[in-house]
Amino acid sequence: SAVLVLAVMVAEAQKKTALVVGISDYPESSGFRPIHGDNDAKVINYSLEKQGFTITQILNSDATALNIRNALENVANNSQSGDYVYLHFSCHGQPVEDKEPFDEDDHWDEALVAYDAKINYQSGVYEGENHILDDELYGYFNRIRDNVGSQGFLCVVIDACHSGNSSRDDDDDEKTVRGVSDGFSSSGKSFAPVI
């Protein structure tokens, strides 16, 4: 469906910018299984190039939280009225325990899992700093949307299910499921997906 959106875009945008993040090979020490996120980048880049987009691609070990944040900041800072902006994230996702003041009904944020994130909270070792929360993404998206204005266009595609393996058997042959059913919690709280 994202390709369809791209195909119907007006050709005369001031500038067409794309950020494509794809992570397949997480470090074994992260606790996240390998997936096929970088394959998505290859497929979507072809369509973006045909539409005349300037593409920033961040794949695998380059897709650290810092690099993703810097790229989003760059897009937000450089977007102007009338620009077309396409943001694509193919990676793991994970629910993260929300902090007060709560902004989620279920008290769990959703997060993109950067290459240098870890699956579990460890006080003083890894406390979630490389999880990119939906609240943070919302800030970037709003800035970009404000910058491109009513004459521009922002399309965001996120393929980062946070509970994809919660509906699959342990003995399922599929070993590349995106997302995890375990929540990232500093208090030991258990995540229960709402179905």
Side-chain angles (χ1 to χ4, degrees):
S1 61
V3 175
L4 178 60
V5 170
L6 291 173
V8 298
M9 286 181 171
V10 177
E12 296 300 321
Q14 181 178 2
K15 184 175 57 188
K16 295 180 179 180
T17 303
L19 170 61
V20 178
V21 176
I23 309 173
S24 292
D25 301 317
Y26 285 86
E28 191 172 324
S29 62
S30 73
F32 292 101
R33 294 187 204 181
I35 54 174
H36 300 299
D38 62 356
N39 288 343
D40 293 354
K42 295 171 192 166
V43 171
I44 199 63
N45 282 356
Y46 175 77
S47 295
L48 291 167
E49 286 170 0
K50 294 202 56 101
Q51 295 292 324
F53 277 78
T54 300
I55 305 166
T56 298
Q57 178 177 267
I58 308 175
L59 302 179
N60 294 314
S61 62
D62 290 331
T64 62
L66 177 63
N67 287 346
I68 294 169
R69 287 179 172 122
N70 285 343
L72 284 166
E73 187 68 29
N74 186 52
V75 172
N77 287 339
N78 292 299
S79 297
Q80 298 175 358
S81 179
D83 287 356
Y84 282 23
V85 178
Y86 178 87
L87 305 176
H88 188 105
F89 304 92
S90 290
C91 56
H92 273 301
Q94 187 175 26
V96 175
E97 185 178 7
D98 200 4
K99 304 281 189 235
E100 290 190 45
F102 298 117
D103 66 336
E104 303 280 350
D105 290 339
D106 65 355
H107 294 203
W108 290 92
D109 282 310
E110 288 75 34
L112 297 178
V113 176
Y115 179 83
D116 50 351
K118 307 276 188 207
I119 199 167
N120 293 314
Y121 178 92
Q122 292 180 293
S123 181
V125 177
Y126 181 72
E127 298 183 358
E129 56 274 12
N130 297 329
H131 280 71
I132 303 174
L133 298 180
D134 53 0
D135 300 334
E136 182 179 358
L137 291 169
Y138 180 75
Y140 289 119
F141 300 163
N142 271 345
R143 284 174 56 201
I144 295 166
R145 193 170 31 222
D146 288 345
N147 288 346
V148 301
S150 61
Q151 300 303 310
F153 186 82
L154 171 62
C155 179
V156 179
V157 176
I158 299 177
D159 186 2
C161 179
H162 66 76
S163 60
N165 64 0
S166 66
S167 63
R168 292 175 173 84
D169 294 332
D170 288 338
D171 61 348
D172 194 329
D173 290 336
E174 177 62 73
K175 300 299 180 198
T176 57
V177 173
R178 287 182 203 192
V180 294
S181 57
D182 298 330
F184 187 88
S185 171
S186 60
S187 70
K189 182 179 173 184
S190 294
F191 173 73
V194 178
I195 299 175

